[in-house]
Amino acid sequence: LRGPQALADYFRGDWYGIGHSPLGAISVLVLLTAVAIQVGLGLVAQDEDGIYMGPLARLVSSDHSDRARDLHAAWFNVLVGLIVVHLAAIVFYRLRGKSLTVPMITGKAAVHESAAPMRRGRWWVAFLCLLFAIAITRWVIAGAPHFSA
């Protein structure tokens, strides 16, 4: 993510960088957040008959689980809308003569000469995120037994 100045520069056409544009970085966060909300709601939702329950549904009341189910169904439409906007942005850039598809797949794109070099990522942050994701997944698969009622 970059600050508001980078976003203003981008809208003026003065931003040159490597990776996602400032607007693209915001859209990535919005999409990831929307998917996380959908997953979280699905984990605690139960169907109307109570036959199917998300793996964490027993940790919340039936009313909360029903509300999560309704929000889960409605939130799907939000996700579809965000996907449509994402695809429209790809078409928009394509019509302007800038293909995003090939760089997305290959990781290689033409770089403007004034673009600052990319800084190295912190491998340990990625590793901690991976460990956290594995731990949460194992907890959910096990049915979250340590916090059951």
Side-chain angles (χ1 to χ4, degrees), residues 30-103:
V30 168
L31 282 168
L32 288 174
T33 301
V35 169
I37 290 169
Q38 183 73 348
V39 169
L41 290 169
L43 287 173
V44 297
Q46 67 179 356
D47 66 359
E48 292 175 358
D49 301 328
I51 296 171
Y52 172 77
M53 296 173 66
L56 304 180
R58 60 191 169 95
L59 300 179
V60 298
S61 71
S62 182
D63 289 340
H64 282 95
S65 190
D66 289 342
R67 194 171 304 130
R69 178 197 62 235
D70 295 340
L71 287 171
H72 183 76
W75 195 255
F76 177 77
N77 296 323
V78 172
L79 278 176
V80 169
L82 290 171
I83 291 167
V84 167
V85 169
H86 185 77
L87 293 174
I90 291 171
V91 170
F92 173 77
Y93 277 100
R94 182 71 171 157
L95 292 174
R96 291 185 58 205
K98 184 174 182 180
S99 175
L100 300 176
T101 311
V102 172

Side-chain angles (χ1 to χ4, degrees), residues 39 131 148:
V39 169
L131 288 178
S148 60

